[in-house]
Amino acid sequence: MIPARQILTPNDLSRFLESSACTEIVDFITALNDKIIGVKTTSPIEDSETIKKILSLLDKIKQANEDIPPLDTKSRFGNPAFRDFYDKCEKDIPQWLADIVPADHIEEASTYLKESFGNRRRIDYGTGHELNFLAFLLCLYKLKVVQMDDFKALVIHVFYKYIEVMRGLQLTYWLEPAGSQGVWGLDDYHFLPFLFGAGQLRTHKYLKPKSIHNAEILDEFSKDYMYLECVRFVNSIKTGSLRWHSPMIDDISGAKSWEKVNLGLFKMFRAEVIGKLPIMQHFMFGSLIQFTGSGAAAAATDDCSHGCSDHVYAFGQEFPDCCGIKVPSAAAAAAAAAQGSSDASKPRDVFARPIPFD
């Protein structure tokens, strides 16, 4: 069964948030998080044969990235070579999954996996695409391909490997942030590594949320904790202090404990990821993750009053004033600045706003 979009209206989203599918997704993330509390990224964890096969699959995806270099377009926006990468993976993934997923579910699992790379047409990536990889893992669990005993390795090895693969795609093809909240987002692309990373740190006796402001701590411990690695990565591609370029991360550092951060990020995930129509309108449902929407899909349109067909809109979501304005990635801007580009991004004035973690 090929998964299809079902969340097309605000009412669909409201119904989804009260559905068993939503509960299933949140419970799965909670179970994964619980398994890695206090566990370092570098901790020795034994991989089952299935986990080894999934890691091998991610290695093949990483190799496809290396085999398809970016085109020299003289542009800071998404590189068209990403479409070649996407097409290759779309073609090969069913074969790569043949020894992992039961034959009658390969098409369904393949859809979630390929959608986790980003959008082929827009050459962008965001938390919705990251959610598709989580859905892929949930499908494997529901098919009993992976067991609860695999959850620790599923986060520490598989999910972290996926983030590594995605960082490669983001830096190679300069994927544009999909619906980025700019300085008000945790990261231009990701959310879950912050959530899982905070889980890893929940029992740490000495490292506190405010420790992210210490460069030496980031250098020393980023290899052990996803949260610190995410902060280190953001600092590496953005100029100035966290307060300047990532005030949300800076605000969270004021929390009293990593437990508060971890639990707060769960609330934020529900409100800012699965609770947002512009994100969830693209999420698909099939036989493994089931939800039925209003059935209004046939009336949906991709066209706006400007004649632009590059964007997909849900019912109830207004067209933007200036349809088609693209947002370059911070990595692209940083690279352009390093090359002495005259149009490199310049810092903009931002205003801090509090985040309800305490």
Side-chain angles (χ1 to χ4, degrees), residues 20 49 80 82 112 141 206 240 291 327 345 351:
S20 59
E49 288 303 312
F82 172 73
Y112 288 117
Y141 177 60
Y206 306 109
F291 174 75
V327 181
S345 293
F351 301 92

Side-chain angles (χ1 to χ4, degrees), residues 148-168:
M148 193 167 289
D149 290 343
D150 294 313
F151 278 14
K152 190 181 296 184
L154 211 57
V155 177
I156 300 299
H157 290 168
V158 173
F159 182 78
Y160 192 66
K161 180 76 171 181
Y162 164 72
I163 297 299
E164 177 187 327
V165 170
M166 286 314 309
R167 292 301 190 198

Side-chain angles (χ1 to χ4, degrees), residues 42-98:
T42 52
S43 295
I45 300 171
E46 185 176 353
D47 293 332
S48 65
E49 288 303 312
T50 299
I51 294 294
K52 291 177 182 177
K53 290 179 181 179
I54 301 171
L55 291 172
S56 177
L57 165 67
L58 291 171
D59 281 331
K60 292 173 183 176
I61 295 169
K62 183 178 180 180
Q63 186 59 52
N65 174 18
E66 295 173 357
D67 291 342
I68 301 174
L71 300 175
D72 185 8
T73 62
K74 308 298 183 184
S75 169
R76 290 187 296 152
F77 298 103
N79 194 285
F82 172 73
R83 297 188 179 113
D84 296 330
F85 160 83
Y86 188 99
D87 291 343
K88 174 177 173 53
C89 289
E90 184 175 34
K91 174 178 175 292
D92 293 340
I93 280 176
Q95 178 184 345
W96 293 342
L97 285 177

Side-chain angles (χ1 to χ4, degrees), residues 28-253:
F28 183 59
I29 296 174
T30 302
L32 292 174
N33 181 79
D34 289 347
K35 288 293 184 179
I36 52 91
I37 291 175
V39 180
K40 294 181 179 180
T41 308
T42 52
S43 295
I45 300 171
E46 185 176 353
D47 293 332
S48 65
E49 288 303 312
T50 299
I51 294 294
K52 291 177 182 177
K53 290 179 181 179
I54 301 171
L55 291 172
S56 177
L57 165 67
L58 291 171
D59 281 331
K60 292 173 183 176
I61 295 169
K62 183 178 180 180
Q63 186 59 52
N65 174 18
E66 295 173 357
D67 291 342
I68 301 174
L71 300 175
D72 185 8
T73 62
K74 308 298 183 184
S75 169
R76 290 187 296 152
F77 298 103
N79 194 285
F82 172 73
R83 297 188 179 113
D84 296 330
F85 160 83
Y86 188 99
D87 291 343
K88 174 177 173 53
C89 289
E90 184 175 34
K91 174 178 175 292
D92 293 340
I93 280 176
Q95 178 184 345
W96 293 342
L97 285 177
D99 64 341
I100 300 175
V101 178
D104 55 340
H105 288 288
I106 286 180
E107 190 172 39
E108 188 168 355
S110 295
T111 299
Y112 288 117
L113 182 56
K114 71 180 182 181
E115 286 297 315
S116 74
F117 304 146
N119 185 275
R120 182 190 183 280
R121 182 176 55 185
R122 297 188 299 272
I123 315 182
D124 65 10
Y125 179 92
T127 51
H129 301 105
E130 179 185 73
L131 182 60
N132 272 280
F133 188 74
L134 192 283
F136 169 69
L137 298 181
L138 177 56
C139 287
L140 297 185
Y141 177 60
K142 296 195 71 173
L143 290 169
K144 302 187 185 306
V145 172
V146 296
Q147 310 296 326
M148 193 167 289
D149 290 343
D150 294 313
F151 278 14
K152 190 181 296 184
L154 211 57
V155 177
I156 300 299
H157 290 168
V158 173
F159 182 78
Y160 192 66
K161 180 76 171 181
Y162 164 72
I163 297 299
E164 177 187 327
V165 170
M166 286 314 309
R167 292 301 190 198
L169 296 180
Q170 292 152 14
L171 294 173
T172 300
Y173 304 120
W174 290 357
L175 303 185
E176 298 165 24
S180 173
Q181 297 185 58
V183 295
W184 300 122
L186 285 176
D187 181 315
D188 285 345
Y189 301 112
H190 294 287
F191 187 94
L192 289 176
F194 286 93
L195 187 153
F196 290 138
Q200 289 179 287
L201 286 159
R202 275 179 65 163
T203 58
H204 204 287
K205 293 181 179 180
Y206 306 109
L207 294 179
K208 305 299 181 184
K210 65 182 180 181
S211 298
I212 66 170
H213 297 288
N214 188 316
E216 291 183 357
I217 287 179
L218 291 181
D219 290 340
E220 179 69 22
F221 294 100
S222 59
K223 67 182 185 299
D224 295 321
Y225 301 102
M226 278 184 253
Y227 195 102
L228 301 184
E229 170 55 27
C230 287
V231 175
R232 186 207 63 77
F233 179 80
V234 170
N235 282 337
S236 73
I237 62 172
K238 296 188 178 183
T239 59
S241 68
L242 276 174
R243 193 63 183 169
W244 181 267
H245 59 67
S246 303
M248 183 70 77
I249 297 176
D250 181 76
D251 284 344
I252 292 173
S253 71

Side-chain angles (χ1 to χ4, degrees), residues 11-22:
N11 183 58
D12 287 339
L13 180 61
S14 296
R15 289 179 52 244
F16 165 72
L17 292 174
E18 300 299 324
S19 71
S20 59
C22 181

